[in-house]
Amino acid sequence: MTMRFIAAALAALLLALPAAAQRTGDAFEQDMLQRFRKAVPDSQFTLKADEPLVLLVKGGEWNEAQINLHRIDNYCRQSTADECDTAKSEFVRKLTAKREEPTRENLRLIVRDQEYLDYIGRVMPGKAGEDPAIHQPIGEGLYAFLAFDTPEAIGVIGDKTLKDLNLAPDAAWSLAHAQTRPDLPAMPSVDAMKQGLVFLEGEGYVPGLLIDLPAWERLAIQTGPDLFMAVLSDQLVVAGIMPDGPEFEKMKEAVEGDCKAMERCISPRTYRLRKGRWVIAR
């Protein structure tokens, strides 16, 4: 389902957007509840009374944690039953698998949006004066996070972990950047940007390319103020040149629709580069 709307936009910029979001309902929540209870029998999982699609955890290693089901629910509403079942199984397996401890060698940089940062603040409050997820803003509601990579998942890094690794924040950022850069695609060329949409793809960490704001400023100087980008997933960033107007509005709708259809979308927004930072195109 990846890029289904944007691919259509590339051809004609005429879209058939998905229907307005509706909750899958109690059956989805109950199914996920039972899956987590089976996977982690030493913890108690319940539905959060005042917030749909959120599970509360009591006891065991996950005590006081919250699990947000909104994105997996969105994905299931727009996928086949088999695709949904596979996604549910992977979601539970990756969250409940025993995590490897962070090391210096697996430090990386990832990009996430405001929703992710707010979620981290709710489920990982940390101690007073301690950041549970070290991050830096790169734009409007868009952040670079210090993270660690394991075969099963990507996790954020907090102050406590840096102390355990005996690393100062600046040194950790430099090391993470150096270890992320080899996984990133090349910056798009001016010629490629002028010819149409550019799909920046890779196995992972592709949005890390957006952290290099000076490089994008240099590109914007040559392409003009109509440069835009969408950060859809860890494997896909879309960039192009398009002025404000009806076609650009359709492109923004395409990005939002494609994001809703993806299991792990980073942001449904489309961004412009303004004054050295990414801002939401309105």
Side-chain angles (χ1 to χ4, degrees):
M1 300 176 77
T2 302
M3 294 188 291
R4 60 179 182 175
F5 293 110
I6 291 180
L10 180 61
L13 284 172
L14 295 174
L15 317 173
L17 294 177
Q22 297 180 8
R23 286 186 57 205
T24 300
D26 291 341
F28 174 86
E29 292 177 320
Q30 290 295 330
D31 181 36
M32 296 302 294
L33 189 64
Q34 297 307 317
R35 288 172 184 257
F36 275 104
R37 285 174 174 172
K38 183 178 180 181
V40 191
D42 62 340
S43 294
Q44 296 178 347
F45 293 84
T46 58
L47 298 172
K48 191 173 183 179
D50 58 348
E51 189 173 354
L53 297 170
V54 175
L55 302 183
L56 301 179
V57 190
K58 296 289 185 181
E61 185 179 353
W62 285 26
N63 189 41
E64 302 299 331
Q66 296 185 43
I67 301 173
N68 191 319
L69 304 175
H70 289 82
R71 289 195 173 180
I72 189 74
D73 178 60
N74 284 338
Y75 175 76
C76 282
R77 282 189 280 106
Q78 302 182 68
S79 61
T80 66
D82 286 344
E83 288 171 336
C84 176
D85 187 70
T86 298
K88 287 177 178 178
S89 297
E90 284 295 292
F91 183 79
V92 174
R93 183 183 66 82
K94 288 184 176 181
L95 276 184
T96 59
K98 186 175 181 180
R99 299 290 182 91
E100 295 183 17
E101 290 298 318
T103 66
R104 293 187 177 206
E105 289 72 25
N106 62 21
L107 289 181
R108 299 291 188 276
L109 295 180
I110 62 173
V111 172
R112 295 293 186 265
D113 67 353
Q114 187 68 48
E115 180 182 344
Y116 183 87
L117 179 59
D118 293 343
Y119 177 68
I120 290 294
R122 292 198 302 271
V123 302
M124 300 172 59
K127 298 180 181 179
E130 184 178 274
D131 191 347
I134 298 171
H135 59 282
Q136 295 179 357
I138 61 172
E140 183 181 3
L142 206 59
Y143 303 88
F145 283 84
L146 194 59
F148 66 97
D149 179 37
T150 70
E152 290 296 334
I154 298 173
V156 293
I157 293 285
D159 289 334
K160 181 180 182 303
T161 302
L162 283 194
K163 291 178 183 177
D164 293 341
L165 295 176
N166 195 27
L167 273 175
D170 287 348
W173 278 100
S174 297
L175 180 59
H177 176 76
Q179 294 177 165
T180 304
R181 190 64 189 86
D183 296 322
L184 302 182
M187 283 285 295
S189 67
V190 175
D191 288 342
M193 293 283 286
K194 290 182 176 179
Q195 290 174 12
L197 294 184
V198 175
F199 296 93
L200 303 168
E201 300 178 89
E203 294 298 317
Y205 309 109
V206 174
L209 204 63
L210 303 172
I211 299 171
D212 190 353
L213 292 169
W216 287 94
E217 284 192 279
R218 291 191 293 271
L219 182 63
I221 289 172
Q222 300 177 74
T223 60
D226 295 331
L227 181 150
F228 75 90
M229 73 82 184
V231 51
L232 285 167
S233 74
D234 282 324
Q235 292 78 37
L236 174 65
V237 169
V238 181
I241 304 171
M242 191 178 296
D244 292 340
E247 289 190 350
F248 188 59
E249 290 304 309
K250 291 174 183 177
M251 176 58 65
K252 288 159 59 178
E253 291 175 352
V255 169
E256 185 175 355
D258 212 46
C259 184
K260 289 178 179 178
M262 300 174 73
E263 185 179 352
R264 295 183 184 88
C265 179
I266 290 178
S267 174
R269 305 289 190 176
T270 302
Y271 297 84
R272 299 277 199 196
L273 192 68
R274 296 288 184 266
K275 296 181 179 180
R277 64 193 292 267
W278 298 108
V279 301
I280 298 171
R282 293 181 171 86

mmCIF file of all heavy atoms in Angstrom, residues 159-185:
data_model
loop_
_atom_site.group_PDB
_atom_site.id
_atom_site.type_symbol
_atom_site.label_atom_id
_atom_site.label_comp_id
_atom_site.label_asym_id
_atom_site.label_seq_id
_atom_site.Cartn_x
_atom_site.Cartn_y
_atom_site.Cartn_z
ATOM 1 N N ASP A 159 18.667 10.283 29.256
ATOM 2 C CA ASP A 159 19.835 10.684 30.030
ATOM 3 C C ASP A 159 20.447 9.520 30.801
ATOM 4 O O ASP A 159 21.674 9.388 30.889
ATOM 5 C CB ASP A 159 19.448 11.789 31.017
ATOM 6 C CG ASP A 159 19.168 13.114 30.327
ATOM 7 O OD1 ASP A 159 19.722 13.331 29.229
ATOM 8 O OD2 ASP A 159 18.408 13.929 30.872
ATOM 9 N N LYS A 160 19.586 8.683 31.369
ATOM 10 C CA LYS A 160 20.091 7.567 32.165
ATOM 11 C C LYS A 160 20.944 6.622 31.317
ATOM 12 O O LYS A 160 22.006 6.163 31.758
ATOM 13 C CB LYS A 160 18.936 6.790 32.794
ATOM 14 C CG LYS A 160 19.386 5.622 33.663
ATOM 15 C CD LYS A 160 18.203 4.890 34.254
ATOM 16 C CE LYS A 160 18.670 3.755 35.171
ATOM 17 N NZ LYS A 160 19.562 2.790 34.492
ATOM 18 N N THR A 161 20.476 6.335 30.102
ATOM 19 C CA THR A 161 21.231 5.431 29.240
ATOM 20 C C THR A 161 22.578 6.028 28.864
ATOM 21 O O THR A 161 23.591 5.319 28.812
ATOM 22 C CB THR A 161 20.421 5.114 27.971
ATOM 23 O OG1 THR A 161 19.166 4.536 28.335
ATOM 24 C CG2 THR A 161 21.175 4.132 27.082
ATOM 25 N N LEU A 162 22.608 7.336 28.603
ATOM 26 C CA LEU A 162 23.884 7.973 28.281
ATOM 27 C C LEU A 162 24.865 7.859 29.440
ATOM 28 O O LEU A 162 26.070 7.651 29.241
ATOM 29 C CB LEU A 162 23.676 9.444 27.920
ATOM 30 C CG LEU A 162 23.120 9.751 26.531
ATOM 31 C CD1 LEU A 162 23.301 11.224 26.212
ATOM 32 C CD2 LEU A 162 23.796 8.908 25.453
ATOM 33 N N LYS A 163 24.350 7.999 30.649
ATOM 34 C CA LYS A 163 25.218 7.838 31.818
ATOM 35 C C LYS A 163 25.758 6.417 31.883
ATOM 36 O O LYS A 163 26.938 6.201 32.179
ATOM 37 C CB LYS A 163 24.446 8.175 33.080
ATOM 38 C CG LYS A 163 24.092 9.647 33.217
ATOM 39 C CD LYS A 163 23.271 9.907 34.472
ATOM 40 C CE LYS A 163 22.853 11.366 34.566
ATOM 41 N NZ LYS A 163 21.997 11.623 35.758
ATOM 42 N N ASP A 164 24.892 5.446 31.597
ATOM 43 C CA ASP A 164 25.329 4.045 31.608
ATOM 44 C C ASP A 164 26.394 3.789 30.546
ATOM 45 O O ASP A 164 27.292 2.952 30.745
ATOM 46 C CB ASP A 164 24.138 3.119 31.372
ATOM 47 C CG ASP A 164 23.139 3.132 32.522
ATOM 48 O OD1 ASP A 164 23.522 3.555 33.631
ATOM 49 O OD2 ASP A 164 21.974 2.721 32.305
ATOM 50 N N LEU A 165 26.285 4.501 29.418
ATOM 51 C CA LEU A 165 27.259 4.335 28.339
ATOM 52 C C LEU A 165 28.485 5.225 28.513
ATOM 53 O O LEU A 165 29.412 5.180 27.699
ATOM 54 C CB LEU A 165 26.600 4.654 26.989
ATOM 55 C CG LEU A 165 25.478 3.720 26.533
ATOM 56 C CD1 LEU A 165 24.859 4.231 25.233
ATOM 57 C CD2 LEU A 165 25.997 2.299 26.345
ATOM 58 N N ASN A 166 28.453 6.054 29.569
ATOM 59 C CA ASN A 166 29.551 6.980 29.845
ATOM 60 C C ASN A 166 29.812 7.900 28.654
ATOM 61 O O ASN A 166 30.950 8.093 28.217
ATOM 62 C CB ASN A 166 30.828 6.213 30.208
ATOM 63 C CG ASN A 166 31.875 7.107 30.859
ATOM 64 O OD1 ASN A 166 31.541 8.106 31.489
ATOM 65 N ND2 ASN A 166 33.137 6.754 30.702
ATOM 66 N N LEU A 167 28.701 8.470 28.128
ATOM 67 C CA LEU A 167 28.799 9.359 26.981
ATOM 68 C C LEU A 167 28.168 10.710 27.309
ATOM 69 O O LEU A 167 27.088 10.773 27.893
ATOM 70 C CB LEU A 167 28.053 8.763 25.777
ATOM 71 C CG LEU A 167 28.810 7.804 24.858
ATOM 72 C CD1 LEU A 167 27.854 7.242 23.821
ATOM 73 C CD2 LEU A 167 29.975 8.505 24.175
ATOM 74 N N ALA A 168 28.843 11.791 26.921
ATOM 75 C CA ALA A 168 28.245 13.113 27.011
ATOM 76 C C ALA A 168 27.272 13.275 25.845
ATOM 77 O O ALA A 168 27.446 12.655 24.782
ATOM 78 C CB ALA A 168 29.329 14.184 26.945
ATOM 79 N N PRO A 169 26.223 14.096 25.985
ATOM 80 C CA PRO A 169 25.236 14.258 24.904
ATOM 81 C C PRO A 169 25.848 14.624 23.557
ATOM 82 O O PRO A 169 25.485 14.044 22.525
ATOM 83 C CB PRO A 169 24.315 15.358 25.442
ATOM 84 C CG PRO A 169 24.399 15.220 26.929
ATOM 85 C CD PRO A 169 25.820 14.825 27.209
ATOM 86 N N ASP A 170 26.765 15.603 23.539
ATOM 87 C CA ASP A 170 27.358 16.022 22.267
ATOM 88 C C ASP A 170 28.110 14.875 21.603
ATOM 89 O O ASP A 170 28.028 14.690 20.375
ATOM 90 C CB ASP A 170 28.303 17.201 22.482
ATOM 91 C CG ASP A 170 27.557 18.499 22.776
ATOM 92 O OD1 ASP A 170 26.320 18.526 22.593
ATOM 93 O OD2 ASP A 170 28.208 19.472 23.207
ATOM 94 N N ALA A 171 28.831 14.118 22.393
ATOM 95 C CA ALA A 171 29.576 12.980 21.847
ATOM 96 C C ALA A 171 28.622 11.913 21.323
ATOM 97 O O ALA A 171 28.876 11.293 20.286
ATOM 98 C CB ALA A 171 30.488 12.393 22.920
ATOM 99 N N ALA A 172 27.501 11.720 22.036
ATOM 100 C CA ALA A 172 26.518 10.728 21.608
ATOM 101 C C ALA A 172 25.880 11.133 20.278
ATOM 102 O O ALA A 172 25.710 10.299 19.379
ATOM 103 C CB ALA A 172 25.446 10.558 22.680
ATOM 104 N N TRP A 173 25.538 12.419 20.144
ATOM 105 C CA TRP A 173 24.950 12.898 18.886
ATOM 106 C C TRP A 173 25.930 12.721 17.736
ATOM 107 O O TRP A 173 25.547 12.271 16.640
ATOM 108 C CB TRP A 173 24.557 14.363 19.012
ATOM 109 C CG TRP A 173 23.237 14.580 19.670
ATOM 110 C CD1 TRP A 173 23.018 14.926 20.973
ATOM 111 C CD2 TRP A 173 21.934 14.453 19.079
ATOM 112 N NE1 TRP A 173 21.666 15.006 21.222
ATOM 113 C CE2 TRP A 173 20.985 14.736 20.085
ATOM 114 C CE3 TRP A 173 21.505 14.133 17.797
ATOM 115 C CZ2 TRP A 173 19.608 14.703 19.841
ATOM 116 C CZ3 TRP A 173 20.131 14.099 17.547
ATOM 117 C CH2 TRP A 173 19.199 14.381 18.554
ATOM 118 N N SER A 174 27.192 13.064 17.949
ATOM 119 C CA SER A 174 28.198 12.941 16.890
ATOM 120 C C SER A 174 28.387 11.491 16.479
ATOM 121 O O SER A 174 28.468 11.170 15.286
ATOM 122 C CB SER A 174 29.529 13.537 17.358
ATOM 123 O OG SER A 174 29.408 14.920 17.608
ATOM 124 N N LEU A 175 28.450 10.612 17.463
ATOM 125 C CA LEU A 175 28.626 9.188 17.175
ATOM 126 C C LEU A 175 27.404 8.633 16.452
ATOM 127 O O LEU A 175 27.541 7.881 15.465
ATOM 128 C CB LEU A 175 28.867 8.423 18.481
ATOM 129 C CG LEU A 175 29.068 6.909 18.355
ATOM 130 C CD1 LEU A 175 30.267 6.597 17.465
ATOM 131 C CD2 LEU A 175 29.249 6.287 19.750
ATOM 132 N N ALA A 176 26.210 8.996 16.921
ATOM 133 C CA ALA A 176 24.982 8.504 16.292
ATOM 134 C C ALA A 176 24.882 8.986 14.844
ATOM 135 O O ALA A 176 24.482 8.228 13.949
ATOM 136 C CB ALA A 176 23.768 8.957 17.092
ATOM 137 N N HIS A 177 25.242 10.240 14.612
ATOM 138 C CA HIS A 177 25.208 10.775 13.251
ATOM 139 C C HIS A 177 26.182 10.024 12.351
ATOM 140 O O HIS A 177 25.834 9.652 11.213
ATOM 141 C CB HIS A 177 25.552 12.262 13.259
ATOM 142 C CG HIS A 177 25.619 12.863 11.884
ATOM 143 N ND1 HIS A 177 24.504 13.172 11.148
ATOM 144 C CD2 HIS A 177 26.688 13.195 11.106
ATOM 145 C CE1 HIS A 177 24.868 13.660 9.981
ATOM 146 N NE2 HIS A 177 26.185 13.697 9.935
ATOM 147 N N ALA A 178 27.404 9.794 12.835
ATOM 148 C CA ALA A 178 28.407 9.095 12.036
ATOM 149 C C ALA A 178 27.966 7.678 11.705
ATOM 150 O O ALA A 178 28.273 7.164 10.623
ATOM 151 C CB ALA A 178 29.737 9.084 12.788
ATOM 152 N N GLN A 179 27.231 7.044 12.611
ATOM 153 C CA GLN A 179 26.805 5.660 12.394
ATOM 154 C C GLN A 179 25.499 5.572 11.611
ATOM 155 O O GLN A 179 25.158 4.497 11.102
ATOM 156 C CB GLN A 179 26.683 4.942 13.748
ATOM 157 C CG GLN A 179 28.027 4.797 14.432
ATOM 158 C CD GLN A 179 27.966 4.155 15.807
ATOM 159 O OE1 GLN A 179 28.991 3.728 16.347
ATOM 160 N NE2 GLN A 179 26.799 4.091 16.418
ATOM 161 N N THR A 180 24.781 6.680 11.499
ATOM 162 C CA THR A 180 23.550 6.710 10.710
ATOM 163 C C THR A 180 23.834 7.069 9.263
ATOM 164 O O THR A 180 23.174 6.552 8.345
ATOM 165 C CB THR A 180 22.552 7.733 11.301
ATOM 166 O OG1 THR A 180 22.309 7.423 12.675
ATOM 167 C CG2 THR A 180 21.231 7.717 10.547
ATOM 168 N N ARG A 181 24.797 7.939 9.049
ATOM 169 C CA ARG A 181 25.058 8.471 7.706
ATOM 170 C C ARG A 181 25.275 7.400 6.645
ATOM 171 O O ARG A 181 24.755 7.534 5.521
ATOM 172 C CB ARG A 181 26.273 9.419 7.742
ATOM 173 C CG ARG A 181 26.457 10.202 6.439
ATOM 174 C CD ARG A 181 25.279 11.128 6.217
ATOM 175 N NE ARG A 181 25.263 11.768 4.898
ATOM 176 C CZ ARG A 181 24.736 11.231 3.808
ATOM 177 N NH1 ARG A 181 24.212 10.017 3.840
ATOM 178 N NH2 ARG A 181 24.728 11.903 2.673
ATOM 179 N N PRO A 182 26.001 6.308 6.894
ATOM 180 C CA PRO A 182 26.191 5.305 5.841
ATOM 181 C C PRO A 182 24.898 4.643 5.365
ATOM 182 O O PRO A 182 24.854 4.087 4.264
ATOM 183 C CB PRO A 182 27.115 4.271 6.509
ATOM 184 C CG PRO A 182 27.836 5.027 7.566
ATOM 185 C CD PRO A 182 26.835 6.005 8.083
ATOM 186 N N ASP A 183 23.848 4.703 6.181
ATOM 187 C CA ASP A 183 22.582 4.087 5.806
ATOM 188 C C ASP A 183 21.678 5.021 5.007
ATOM 189 O O ASP A 183 20.608 4.613 4.540
ATOM 190 C CB ASP A 183 21.816 3.647 7.065
ATOM 191 C CG ASP A 183 22.539 2.562 7.851
ATOM 192 O OD1 ASP A 183 23.139 1.689 7.198
ATOM 193 O OD2 ASP A 183 22.504 2.596 9.089
ATOM 194 N N LEU A 184 22.083 6.280 4.844
ATOM 195 C CA LEU A 184 21.221 7.264 4.204
ATOM 196 C C LEU A 184 21.469 7.346 2.701
ATOM 197 O O LEU A 184 22.593 7.167 2.233
ATOM 198 C CB LEU A 184 21.462 8.646 4.819
ATOM 199 C CG LEU A 184 21.247 8.780 6.330
ATOM 200 C CD1 LEU A 184 21.491 10.224 6.757
ATOM 201 C CD2 LEU A 184 19.847 8.334 6.714
ATOM 202 N N PRO A 185 20.411 7.642 1.930
ATOM 203 C CA PRO A 185 20.621 7.889 0.498
ATOM 204 C C PRO A 185 21.313 9.224 0.293
ATOM 205 O O PRO A 185 21.446 10.029 1.225
ATOM 206 C CB PRO A 185 19.181 7.920 -0.044
ATOM 207 C CG PRO A 185 18.354 8.372 1.121
ATOM 208 C CD PRO A 185 19.009 7.775 2.340
#
